[in-house]
mmCIF file with all atom_site columns, all heavy atoms in Angstrom:
data_model
loop_
_atom_site.group_PDB
_atom_site.id
_atom_site.type_symbol
_atom_site.label_atom_id
_atom_site.label_alt_id
_atom_site.label_comp_id
_atom_site.label_asym_id
_atom_site.label_entity_id
_atom_site.label_seq_id
_atom_site.pdbx_PDB_ins_code
_atom_site.Cartn_x
_atom_site.Cartn_y
_atom_site.Cartn_z
_atom_site.occupancy
_atom_site.B_iso_or_equiv
_atom_site.pdbx_formal_charge
_atom_site.auth_seq_id
_atom_site.auth_comp_id
_atom_site.auth_asym_id
_atom_site.auth_atom_id
_atom_site.pdbx_PDB_model_num
ATOM 1  N N   . PHE A 1 29  ? 17.220 -18.016 3.097  1.00 0.00 ? 1116 PHE A N   1
ATOM 2  C CA  . PHE A 1 29  ? 17.711 -18.516 4.388  1.00 0.00 ? 1116 PHE A CA  1
ATOM 3  C C   . PHE A 1 29  ? 18.639 -19.714 4.228  1.00 0.00 ? 1116 PHE A C   1
ATOM 4  O O   . PHE A 1 29  ? 19.782 -19.707 4.708  1.00 0.00 ? 1116 PHE A O   1
ATOM 5  C CB  . PHE A 1 29  ? 16.505 -18.899 5.257  1.00 0.00 ? 1116 PHE A CB  1
ATOM 6  C CG  . PHE A 1 29  ? 16.886 -19.451 6.597  1.00 0.00 ? 1116 PHE A CG  1
ATOM 7  C CD1 . PHE A 1 29  ? 17.704 -18.736 7.467  1.00 0.00 ? 1116 PHE A CD1 1
ATOM 8  C CD2 . PHE A 1 29  ? 16.415 -20.696 7.011  1.00 0.00 ? 1116 PHE A CD2 1
ATOM 9  C CE1 . PHE A 1 29  ? 18.048 -19.241 8.709  1.00 0.00 ? 1116 PHE A CE1 1
ATOM 10 C CE2 . PHE A 1 29  ? 16.763 -21.203 8.252  1.00 0.00 ? 1116 PHE A CE2 1
ATOM 11 C CZ  . PHE A 1 29  ? 17.576 -20.487 9.106  1.00 0.00 ? 1116 PHE A CZ  1
ATOM 12 N N   . GLY A 1 37  ? 22.269 -22.263 13.261 1.00 0.00 ? 1124 GLY A N   1
ATOM 13 C CA  . GLY A 1 37  ? 20.959 -22.394 12.628 1.00 0.00 ? 1124 GLY A CA  1
ATOM 14 C C   . GLY A 1 37  ? 20.230 -21.092 12.325 1.00 0.00 ? 1124 GLY A C   1
ATOM 15 O O   . GLY A 1 37  ? 19.043 -21.103 12.018 1.00 0.00 ? 1124 GLY A O   1
ATOM 16 N N   . ILE A 1 38  ? 20.962 -19.959 12.362 1.00 0.00 ? 1125 ILE A N   1
ATOM 17 C CA  . ILE A 1 38  ? 20.367 -18.685 11.939 1.00 0.00 ? 1125 ILE A CA  1
ATOM 18 C C   . ILE A 1 38  ? 21.168 -18.141 10.754 1.00 0.00 ? 1125 ILE A C   1
ATOM 19 O O   . ILE A 1 38  ? 22.229 -18.681 10.420 1.00 0.00 ? 1125 ILE A O   1
ATOM 20 C CB  . ILE A 1 38  ? 20.321 -17.652 13.097 1.00 0.00 ? 1125 ILE A CB  1
ATOM 21 C CG1 . ILE A 1 38  ? 21.737 -17.362 13.637 1.00 0.00 ? 1125 ILE A CG1 1
ATOM 22 C CG2 . ILE A 1 38  ? 19.403 -18.166 14.224 1.00 0.00 ? 1125 ILE A CG2 1
ATOM 23 C CD1 . ILE A 1 38  ? 21.795 -16.234 14.656 1.00 0.00 ? 1125 ILE A CD1 1
ATOM 24 N N   . MET A 1 39  ? 20.658 -17.098 10.109 1.00 0.00 ? 1126 MET A N   1
ATOM 25 C CA  . MET A 1 39  ? 21.372 -16.564 8.948  1.00 0.00 ? 1126 MET A CA  1
ATOM 26 C C   . MET A 1 39  ? 22.700 -15.941 9.383  1.00 0.00 ? 1126 MET A C   1
ATOM 27 O O   . MET A 1 39  ? 22.744 -15.171 10.342 1.00 0.00 ? 1126 MET A O   1
ATOM 28 C CB  . MET A 1 39  ? 20.529 -15.522 8.204  1.00 0.00 ? 1126 MET A CB  1
ATOM 29 C CG  . MET A 1 39  ? 21.167 -15.100 6.870  1.00 0.00 ? 1126 MET A CG  1
ATOM 30 S SD  . MET A 1 39  ? 20.156 -13.920 5.896  1.00 0.00 ? 1126 MET A SD  1
ATOM 31 C CE  . MET A 1 39  ? 18.857 -14.993 5.288  1.00 0.00 ? 1126 MET A CE  1
ATOM 32 N N   . PRO A 1 79  ? 18.006 -12.584 15.686 1.00 0.00 ? 1166 PRO A N   1
ATOM 33 C CA  . PRO A 1 79  ? 18.397 -13.680 14.798 1.00 0.00 ? 1166 PRO A CA  1
ATOM 34 C C   . PRO A 1 79  ? 17.389 -13.827 13.662 1.00 0.00 ? 1166 PRO A C   1
ATOM 35 O O   . PRO A 1 79  ? 16.187 -13.646 13.875 1.00 0.00 ? 1166 PRO A O   1
ATOM 36 C CB  . PRO A 1 79  ? 18.377 -14.910 15.713 1.00 0.00 ? 1166 PRO A CB  1
ATOM 37 C CG  . PRO A 1 79  ? 17.595 -14.516 16.920 1.00 0.00 ? 1166 PRO A CG  1
ATOM 38 C CD  . PRO A 1 79  ? 17.696 -13.032 17.051 1.00 0.00 ? 1166 PRO A CD  1
ATOM 39 N N   . ALA A 1 80  ? 17.869 -14.123 12.452 1.00 0.00 ? 1167 ALA A N   1
ATOM 40 C CA  . ALA A 1 80  ? 16.989 -14.328 11.294 1.00 0.00 ? 1167 ALA A CA  1
ATOM 41 C C   . ALA A 1 80  ? 16.905 -15.815 10.996 1.00 0.00 ? 1167 ALA A C   1
ATOM 42 O O   . ALA A 1 80  ? 17.933 -16.465 10.822 1.00 0.00 ? 1167 ALA A O   1
ATOM 43 C CB  . ALA A 1 80  ? 17.529 -13.583 10.080 1.00 0.00 ? 1167 ALA A CB  1
ATOM 44 N N   . SER A 1 81  ? 15.711 -16.332 10.928 1.00 0.00 ? 1168 SER A N   1
ATOM 45 C CA  . SER A 1 81  ? 15.551 -17.757 10.612 1.00 0.00 ? 1168 SER A CA  1
ATOM 46 C C   . SER A 1 81  ? 14.544 -17.970 9.479  1.00 0.00 ? 1168 SER A C   1
ATOM 47 O O   . SER A 1 81  ? 13.899 -19.018 9.384  1.00 0.00 ? 1168 SER A O   1
ATOM 48 C CB  . SER A 1 81  ? 15.150 -18.540 11.863 1.00 0.00 ? 1168 SER A CB  1
ATOM 49 O OG  . SER A 1 81  ? 14.048 -17.926 12.489 1.00 0.00 ? 1168 SER A OG  1
ATOM 50 N N   . THR A 1 82  ? 14.439 -16.960 8.610  1.00 0.00 ? 1169 THR A N   1
ATOM 51 C CA  . THR A 1 82  ? 13.656 -17.057 7.368  1.00 0.00 ? 1169 THR A CA  1
ATOM 52 C C   . THR A 1 82  ? 14.451 -16.305 6.292  1.00 0.00 ? 1169 THR A C   1
ATOM 53 O O   . THR A 1 82  ? 15.472 -15.692 6.598  1.00 0.00 ? 1169 THR A O   1
ATOM 54 C CB  . THR A 1 82  ? 12.279 -16.370 7.491  1.00 0.00 ? 1169 THR A CB  1
ATOM 55 O OG1 . THR A 1 82  ? 12.485 -14.947 7.598  1.00 0.00 ? 1169 THR A OG1 1
ATOM 56 C CG2 . THR A 1 82  ? 11.507 -16.857 8.718  1.00 0.00 ? 1169 THR A CG2 1
ATOM 57 N N   . ASP A 1 83  ? 13.934 -16.298 5.052  1.00 0.00 ? 1170 ASP A N   1
ATOM 58 C CA  . ASP A 1 83  ? 14.465 -15.364 4.057  1.00 0.00 ? 1170 ASP A CA  1
ATOM 59 C C   . ASP A 1 83  ? 14.393 -13.951 4.633  1.00 0.00 ? 1170 ASP A C   1
ATOM 60 O O   . ASP A 1 83  ? 13.526 -13.654 5.469  1.00 0.00 ? 1170 ASP A O   1
ATOM 61 C CB  . ASP A 1 83  ? 13.608 -15.372 2.783  1.00 0.00 ? 1170 ASP A CB  1
ATOM 62 C CG  . ASP A 1 83  ? 13.764 -16.648 1.971  1.00 0.00 ? 1170 ASP A CG  1
ATOM 63 O OD1 . ASP A 1 83  ? 14.435 -17.589 2.436  1.00 0.00 ? 1170 ASP A OD1 1
ATOM 64 O OD2 . ASP A 1 83  ? 13.198 -16.690 0.864  1.00 0.00 ? 1170 ASP A OD2 1
ATOM 65 N N   . VAL A 1 84  ? 15.277 -13.089 4.167  1.00 0.00 ? 1171 VAL A N   1
ATOM 66 C CA  . VAL A 1 84  ? 15.303 -11.693 4.640  1.00 0.00 ? 1171 VAL A CA  1
ATOM 67 C C   . VAL A 1 84  ? 15.239 -10.772 3.421  1.00 0.00 ? 1171 VAL A C   1
ATOM 68 O O   . VAL A 1 84  ? 15.870 -11.049 2.397  1.00 0.00 ? 1171 VAL A O   1
ATOM 69 C CB  . VAL A 1 84  ? 16.570 -11.421 5.474  1.00 0.00 ? 1171 VAL A CB  1
ATOM 70 C CG1 . VAL A 1 84  ? 16.647 -9.959  5.898  1.00 0.00 ? 1171 VAL A CG1 1
ATOM 71 C CG2 . VAL A 1 84  ? 16.584 -12.319 6.718  1.00 0.00 ? 1171 VAL A CG2 1
ATOM 72 N N   . ASP A 1 118 ? 12.599 -9.879  8.294  1.00 0.00 ? 1205 ASP A N   1
ATOM 73 C CA  . ASP A 1 118 ? 12.363 -11.309 8.053  1.00 0.00 ? 1205 ASP A CA  1
ATOM 74 C C   . ASP A 1 118 ? 10.941 -11.548 7.541  1.00 0.00 ? 1205 ASP A C   1
ATOM 75 O O   . ASP A 1 118 ? 10.166 -10.590 7.362  1.00 0.00 ? 1205 ASP A O   1
ATOM 76 C CB  . ASP A 1 118 ? 12.715 -12.140 9.298  1.00 0.00 ? 1205 ASP A CB  1
ATOM 77 C CG  . ASP A 1 118 ? 11.667 -12.067 10.396 1.00 0.00 ? 1205 ASP A CG  1
ATOM 78 O OD1 . ASP A 1 118 ? 10.590 -11.453 10.198 1.00 0.00 ? 1205 ASP A OD1 1
ATOM 79 O OD2 . ASP A 1 118 ? 11.931 -12.634 11.478 1.00 0.00 ? 1205 ASP A OD2 1
ATOM 80 N N   . VAL A 1 124 ? 15.547 -7.542  11.532 1.00 0.00 ? 1211 VAL A N   1
ATOM 81 C CA  . VAL A 1 124 ? 16.632 -8.360  12.077 1.00 0.00 ? 1211 VAL A CA  1
ATOM 82 C C   . VAL A 1 124 ? 17.957 -7.608  12.099 1.00 0.00 ? 1211 VAL A C   1
ATOM 83 O O   . VAL A 1 124 ? 18.856 -7.932  12.875 1.00 0.00 ? 1211 VAL A O   1
ATOM 84 C CB  . VAL A 1 124 ? 16.774 -9.696  11.320 1.00 0.00 ? 1211 VAL A CB  1
ATOM 85 C CG1 . VAL A 1 124 ? 15.509 -10.534 11.480 1.00 0.00 ? 1211 VAL A CG1 1
ATOM 86 C CG2 . VAL A 1 124 ? 17.088 -9.475  9.841  1.00 0.00 ? 1211 VAL A CG2 1
#
Side-chain angles (χ1 to χ4, degrees):
Chain A
F1116 179 56
I1125 59 173
M1126 188 177 286
S1168 51
T1169 68
D1170 289 7
V1171 177
D1205 77 5
V1211 297

